C-alpha cells in the first residue's frame, strides 16, 4: 500500500513520523493527566509498607535482601530489582512520595514511547491513537494509578522493551534486541508476571534469523541468564520450590479458571485480526515484520497467563497485565486500521465531503479525550495517603502513644495499610512518653465534607483534603482487651482455639507487617467461620457502648456472636449494646466472620479483625452515617 491508503482519509493527520514537538506534547499531556489522577502523595497500601520495610531493613540495619515481596503463590517471591531501585533512590534522598512522582514521569515517558512505536508501525495517526488507548487503560485503574508498588513501576520498562523489539524489526543491528533482552530480564525481576517478555524476546529474535529454533533458544537462554544473575539466590529457591512435594506445579487446579475480562477479550480479538492480516493481507512488506513483532509480544502473555491461572492457581488481577498494555494498544490500533482498509471499498461508495470526514475524525478524537479526562479524576478519594499517615503520627505523638499503643488501638477501614505504615515509618521505639492507651481507640477515616456536622463533638478532629473530603480522627474509650484474646476457627472435628494478642515487642521487624497473630491463613476455606473472643470489663455507672459493623464497600463485614451477661445483640449481629450496671462486669465478647462468604469476600480478608466501631451510641451513629455515606 502506498502513502495514500484509502482508510487514511478518515483520519485527521498525515501518515508521517511524529515530530519532536508532538512527542513533547504527548509527554506533557500524559504527565498532567497522570499527576492529576495520582496526586502528589501515594495511597497507603500494605504492599508499599512491606517494600519500604525491605528498604529500611537494608538502609538502617544492613540486612539487604536479594529478593522482593512475596507473591500469591505459596513459597514464590518476586525478584529484587524493584527493592534495589527503591533502596538506591532512598539513599539519594527520594522517599515514597518522591518515587511516586518519579513513576508518574516514567509513565508519561512510556506513553510517549508507545506513540513513537505507533508512528513506526503505521504513521502519525497510529501513534496518537495508540497513546490515547494506553493512557485510557492506565488511568482507568484506581489501584494502579494511585498506589506505589512493584506492579506500578512495570509500565515503563515494559513499554521500553516493546519499543526496542519493534525497533529491532526495522534494522539489522542487534543492539535494540540486546537492550530489549536486558530490559526484559530486569522487569521480570521487578514482577514475575513479566516473565513472558523473555519468550517474546526469543520469538522476535527467531523472526530475524533463518535458523529460528536455534536463535530462539540462544536468545531465550541468554535473557534468562541475565535475569538469574540479578537475583541468583531467589531464582534458585523458586525453581526448587516449584517442584518440591506440595509445590504449585504439583498441585494443579484444573477447572478453577475464572472467565476472561474485557482486557483479555479485546487483546485476543486484536491478535486474531492481526493473524488474519498476516495470513490474508493486504500487508505491505515493510509492515509485516512489525505486525509479527506485535504478535510475538502479545500472544505469549495471553497464553501463559491463562494457563497459569488454570494450572497453578494464579489469581487474575489487572496489575498483572500492565506489561501487555503497550503491545495491546498498538495491536488494537493496527487491527482497527486493517479493518478500515478492508471496508474502504464500501466506504468509498458513500458520498462524503472533506468537512464531513474531518467532523467524524474530530468527534471520535473528542470522545476519546473526554473518556480519558473523565478517568483522570483524582482516584480513591476515601483512601488514606502518605500525607495523612504523617499527620496521624503527629496526632498520636501528641497523645503520648507508644508504638505498641498504636499497634493495638488505631482502627480504620484501611486497617492493614494504615497500621503497617505506622509501624514501618517509625523508629522501633516509643513515639513519645509511654503513658499507655488509657483504654482508648483512635478511629481514622475519610468522609465527604458535605456530610460533616457543623460542630464537631468532643475528641473529634477533621482535616480538609482535596475533592471535598476531610480526614477524620475520633478518640473513643474501649472496654476490650486487645493484648490478650483467643482466635477460634471451624475445622473438621469441631472448633479449634488458640491464645493470641497484640504485643509489638514479641514480633520481629518484618513480622509486624503481616496479619494479626493467629489470623494468618485463618478461614481461607470458603465459608469456614473465624471467631475472636475478647475479654471485656464494663465499668459501673458508665454510659453504654455500641459495637457496630458498618456496611462498607469492598470490606469484610463481621457480626457479634456473643456478649457479656446483661448486654444485647441487635440487627442480626451487626450491632450489640454493652450495658453497664452498679457493679463492674467482666465477660467475653465474641466477634465472628466467614471469609469467602457474601459478607466477607476472600479478597477483602487481610488477616485482620474486620473493621467495627466501639463507642457511645451518639458517636457510633455519627461514625456509621459518615462511613456508610461514602465508603
Amino acid at each position: 500500500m502506498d502513502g495514500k491508503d484509502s482508510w487514511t482519509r478518515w483520519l485527521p493527520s498525515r501518515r508521517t513520523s511524529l515530530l519532536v514537538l508532538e512527542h513533547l506534547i504527548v509527554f506533557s499531556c500524559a504527565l498532567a493527566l497522570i499527576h492529576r489522577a495520582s496526586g502528589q502523595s501515594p495511597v497507603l497500601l500494605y504492599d508499599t509498607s512491606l517494600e519500604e520495610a525491605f528498604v529500611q531493613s537494608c538502609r538502617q540495619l544492613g540486612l539487604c535482601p536479594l529478593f522482593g515481596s512475596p507473591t500469591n503463590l505459596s513459597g514464590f517471591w518476586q525478584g529484587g530489582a524493584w527493592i534495589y531501585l527503591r533502596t538506591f533512590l532512598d539513599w539519594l534522598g527520594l522517599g515514597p512520595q518522591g518515587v511516586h512522582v518519579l513513576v508518574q514521569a516514567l509513565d508519561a515517558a512510556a506513553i510517549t514511547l508507545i506513540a513513537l512505536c505507533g508512528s513506526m508501525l503505521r504513521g502519525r495517526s497510529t501513534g496518537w491513537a495508540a497513546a490515547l488507548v494506553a493512557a485510557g487503560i492506565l488511568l482507568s485503574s484506581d489501584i494502579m494509578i494511585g498506589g506505589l508498588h512493584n506492579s506500578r513501576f512495570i509500565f515503563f520498562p515494559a513499554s521500553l522493551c516493546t519499543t526496542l523489539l519493534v525497533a529491532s524489526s526495522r534494522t539489522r543491528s542487534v543492539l535494540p534486541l540486546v537492550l530489549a533482552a536486558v530490559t526484559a530480564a530486569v522487569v521480570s525481576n521487578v514482577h514475575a508476571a513479566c516473565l513472558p517478555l523473555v519468550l517474546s524476546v526469543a520469538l522476535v529474535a527467531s523472526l530475524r534469523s533463518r535458523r529460528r529454533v536455534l536463535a530462539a533458544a540462544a536468545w531465550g537462554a541468554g535473557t534468562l541468564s541475565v535475569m538469574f544473575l540479578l537475583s541468583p539466590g531467589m531464582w534458585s529457591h523458586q525453581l526448587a520450590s516449584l517442584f518440591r512435594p506440595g509445590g504449585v506445579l504439583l498441585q494443579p487446579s484444573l477447572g478453577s479458571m475464572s472467565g476472561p475480562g474485557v482486557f483479555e477479550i479485546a487483546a485476543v480479538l486484536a491478535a486474531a485480526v492481526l493473524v488474519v492480516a498476516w495470513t490474508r493481507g493486504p500487508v505491505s512488506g515493510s509492515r509485516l515484520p512489525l505486525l509479527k513483532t506485535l504478535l510475538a509480544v502479545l500472544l505469549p502473555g495471553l497464553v501463559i497467563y491463562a494457563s497459569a491461572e488454570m494450572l497453578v492457581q494464579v489469581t487474575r488481577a489487572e496489575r498483572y497485565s500492565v506489561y501487555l498494555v503497550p503491545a495491546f494498544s498498538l495491536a488494537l490500533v493496527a487491527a482497527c486500521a486493517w479493518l478500515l482498509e478492508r471496508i474502504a471499498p464500501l466506504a468509498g461508495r458513500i458520498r462524503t465531503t472533506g468537512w464531513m470526514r474531518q467532523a467524524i475524525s474530530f468527534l471520535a478524537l473528542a470522545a476519546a479525550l473526554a473518556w480519558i479526562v473523565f478517568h483522570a479524576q483524582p482516584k480513591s478519594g476515601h483512601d488514606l495517603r502518605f500525607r495523612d499517615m504523617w499527620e496521624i503520627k503527629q496526632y498520636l505523638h501528641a497523645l503520648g502513644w507508644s508504638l505498641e499503643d498504636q499497634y493495638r488501638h488505631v482502627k480504620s477501614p484501611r486497617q492493614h495499610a494504615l497500621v503497617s505504615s505506622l509501624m514501618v515509618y517509625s523508629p522501633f521505639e516509643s513515639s513519645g512518653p509511654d503513658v499507655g492507651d488509657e483504654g482508648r481507640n483512635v478511629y481514622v477515616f475519610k468522609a465527604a465534607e458535605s456530610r460533616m456536622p457543623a460542630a464537631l463533638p468532643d475528641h473529634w478532629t477533621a482535616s480538609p483534603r482535596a475533592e471535598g473530603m476531610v480526614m477524620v480522627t475520633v478518640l473513643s474509650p474501649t472496654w476490650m482487651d486487645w493484648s490478650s484474646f483467643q482466635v477460634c476457627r471451624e475445622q473438621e472435628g469441631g472448633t479449634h482455639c488458640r491464645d493470641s494478642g497484640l504485643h509489638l515487642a514479641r514480633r520481629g521487624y518484618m513480622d509486624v507487617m503481616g496479619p494479626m497473630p493467629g489470623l494468618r491463613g485463618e478461614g481461607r476455606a470458603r465459608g469456614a467461620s473465624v471467631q475472636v473472643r475478647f475479654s471485656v470489663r464494663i465499668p459501673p455507672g458508665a454510659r453504654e457502648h455500641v459495637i457496630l459493623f458498618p456496611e462498607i464497600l469492598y470490606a469484610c463485614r463481621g457480626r457479634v456472636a456473643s456478649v457479656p451477661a446483661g448486654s444485647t445483640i441487635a440487627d442480626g449481629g451487626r450491632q450489640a449494646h454493652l450495658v453497664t450496671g452498679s457493679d463492674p462486669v467482666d465477660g467475653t465478647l465474641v466477634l465472628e466472620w466467614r471469609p469467602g462468604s457474601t459478607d466477607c469476600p476472600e479478597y477483602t480478608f487481610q488477616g485482620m479483625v474486620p473493621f467495627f466501631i466501639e463507642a457511645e451510641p451518639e458517636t457510633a451513629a455519627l461514625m456509621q452515617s459518615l462511613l456508610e455515606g461514602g465508603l
Side-chain angles (χ1 to χ4, degrees):
M1 305 289 282
D2 58 20
K4 296 182 179 179
D5 288 346
S6 55
W7 67 270
T8 60
R9 68 192 186 93
W10 292 90
L11 300 173
S13 59
R14 295 178 300 149
R15 292 177 58 214
T16 58
S17 298
L18 269 72
L19 304 175
V20 174
L21 178 60
E22 288 178 292
H23 284 111
L24 292 176
I25 292 173
V26 171
F27 177 82
S28 301
C29 292
L31 181 59
L33 291 172
I34 292 171
H35 184 71
R36 182 184 181 193
S38 301
Q40 186 69 28
S41 181
V43 170
L44 286 184
L45 297 172
Y46 167 71
D47 290 355
T48 309
S49 300
L50 180 60
E51 291 168 357
E52 183 66 17
F54 280 110
V55 172
Q56 295 307 319
S57 175
C58 182
R59 295 271 288 125
Q60 305 298 332
L61 304 178
L63 302 176
C64 301
L66 299 178
F67 51 86
S69 55
T71 69
N72 61 5
L73 291 177
S74 177
F76 203 88
W77 292 67
Q78 304 290 3
W82 174 239
I83 301 300
Y84 304 159
L85 177 61
R86 283 290 315 277
T87 303
F88 175 69
L89 293 175
D90 188 81
W91 178 75
L92 292 178
L94 210 60
Q97 297 193 95
V99 177
H100 181 61
V101 176
L102 175 62
V103 171
Q104 294 173 28
L106 292 176
D107 286 342
I111 292 174
T112 307
L113 288 174
I114 293 171
L116 174 63
C117 272
S119 67
M120 288 192 292
L121 184 66
R122 298 194 68 98
R124 180 183 297 166
S125 301
T126 303
W128 278 100
L132 287 173
V133 172
I137 295 174
L138 184 67
L139 291 169
S140 63
S141 173
D142 285 12
I143 189 170
M144 280 303 304
I145 204 67
L148 177 66
H149 44 83
N150 61 337
S151 302
R152 179 77 173 82
F153 173 71
I154 63 179
F155 185 53
F156 173 74
S159 300
L160 178 61
C161 184
T162 302
T163 302
L164 290 167
L165 291 175
V166 170
S168 71
S169 66
R170 294 168 56 90
T171 178
R172 293 183 178 180
S173 172
V174 297
L175 180 60
L177 194 57
V178 170
L179 295 177
V182 173
T183 305
V186 171
V187 74
S188 296
N189 273 292
V190 172
H191 201 295
C194 299
L195 276 169
L197 281 177
V198 176
L199 179 57
S200 296
V201 170
L203 290 177
V204 172
S206 70
L207 295 174
R208 295 166 50 94
S209 173
R210 293 181 180 179
R211 299 180 178 179
R212 299 189 185 280
V213 176
L214 181 61
W219 280 91
T223 307
L224 287 173
S225 298
V226 175
M227 182 188 74
F228 182 87
L229 291 174
L230 290 173
S231 296
M234 188 275 297
W235 287 111
S236 299
H237 171 74
Q238 306 289 45
L239 292 175
S241 66
L242 288 177
F243 296 96
R244 74 175 189 273
V248 294
L249 291 184
L250 302 182
Q251 290 183 323
S253 58
L254 288 171
S256 67
M257 185 177 180
S258 59
V262 175
F263 180 86
E264 290 85 355
I265 294 174
V268 169
L269 290 177
V273 171
L274 293 186
V275 170
V276 173
W278 178 359
T279 57
R280 299 192 61 179
V283 179
S284 66
S286 62
R287 291 182 192 162
L288 189 57
L290 297 175
L291 185 148
K292 293 179 179 179
T293 299
L294 283 182
L295 289 173
V297 176
L298 191 60
L299 289 178
L302 294 176
V303 174
I304 292 175
Y305 187 40
S307 302
E309 184 184 4
M310 181 174 64
L311 296 176
V312 295
Q313 306 176 7
V314 172
T315 304
R316 173 178 291 133
E318 59 184 9
R319 62 183 182 273
Y320 299 160
S321 302
V322 171
Y323 77 97
L324 284 176
V325 170
F328 167 74
S329 304
L330 295 165
L332 181 65
V333 174
C336 291
W338 185 83
L339 289 174
L340 283 172
E341 288 181 356
R342 302 298 291 174
I343 65 174
L346 175 63
R349 299 191 190 103
I350 302 174
R351 289 195 171 188
T352 57
T353 61
W355 70 266
M356 290 178 61
R357 292 191 293 269
Q358 292 297 324
I360 293 173
S361 299
F362 175 78
L363 289 175
L365 180 62
L369 288 174
W371 185 73
I372 290 175
V373 171
F374 171 78
H375 283 290
Q377 301 298 323
K379 303 292 183 181
S380 306
H382 291 88
D383 282 328
L384 297 172
R385 294 181 177 266
F386 270 79
R387 172 192 172 187
D388 304 320
M389 187 267 294
W390 290 115
E391 186 172 319
I392 295 165
K393 287 184 65 65
Q394 293 175 356
Y395 173 80
L396 297 173
H397 187 273
L399 292 177
W401 280 22
S402 66
L403 285 180
E404 185 135 333
D405 297 332
Q406 298 173 31
Y407 184 48
R408 291 179 185 171
H409 293 286
V410 173
K411 310 298 178 185
S412 173
R414 314 305 190 206
Q415 179 84 1
H416 202 192
L418 177 57
V419 172
S420 61
S421 298
L422 289 172
M423 296 299 103
V424 77
Y425 291 101
S426 300
F428 220 61
E429 57 193 29
S430 296
S431 61
D434 190 359
V435 299
D437 55 72
E438 298 181 349
R440 298 177 296 177
N441 288 332
V442 168
Y443 295 90
V444 182
F445 58 92
K446 282 188 174 179
E449 188 173 10
S450 60
R451 299 181 62 89
M452 294 295 294
L456 289 176
D458 292 340
H459 307 299
W460 284 58
T461 67
S463 303
R465 292 293 185 264
E467 300 299 317
M469 304 296 294
V470 293
M471 186 184 72
V472 181
T473 61
V474 181
L475 188 62
S476 177
T478 177
W479 298 338
M480 300 170 60
D481 183 3
W482 285 87
S483 65
S484 178
F485 51 80
Q486 278 192 323
V487 177
C488 304
R489 65 174 298 186
E490 289 181 348
Q491 293 180 343
E492 293 183 5
T495 300
H496 297 261
C497 300
R498 57 166 291 186
D499 293 330
S500 187
L502 299 184
H503 296 280
L504 188 61
R506 299 179 188 175
R507 312 193 73 191
Y509 180 72
M510 296 294 294
D511 200 29
V512 300
M513 305 295 298
M516 288 183 175
L519 292 180
R520 187 185 301 274
E522 301 291 329
R524 286 300 185 182
R526 181 177 296 275
S529 172
V530 180
Q531 289 187 347
V532 178
R533 301 176 180 180
F534 293 96
S535 297
V536 177
R537 182 175 180 82
I538 303 176
R543 296 193 61 193
E544 75 171 65
H545 274 199
V546 172
I547 305 294
L548 187 151
F549 284 93
E551 185 175 1
I552 301 174
L553 191 64
Y554 305 127
C556 179
R557 194 181 189 197
R559 58 183 291 271
V560 181
S562 178
V563 294
S567 298
T568 59
I569 299 175
D571 192 18
R574 303 304 185 190
Q575 292 188 36
H577 299 267
L578 306 184
V579 182
T580 64
S582 57
D583 297 317
V585 176
D586 293 321
T588 301
L589 175 70
V590 181
L591 307 180
E592 181 182 51
W593 64 96
R594 293 179 178 271
S597 65
T598 303
D599 288 333
C600 185
E602 290 184 7
Y603 66 87
T604 65
F605 179 60
Q606 299 177 324
M608 313 288 281
V609 175
F611 175 75
F612 66 94
I613 299 168
E614 179 198 2
E616 295 176 352
E618 296 82 2
T619 300
L622 180 54
M623 290 175 62
Q624 180 184 18
S625 173
L626 294 173
L627 287 166
E628 294 184 347
L631 289 177

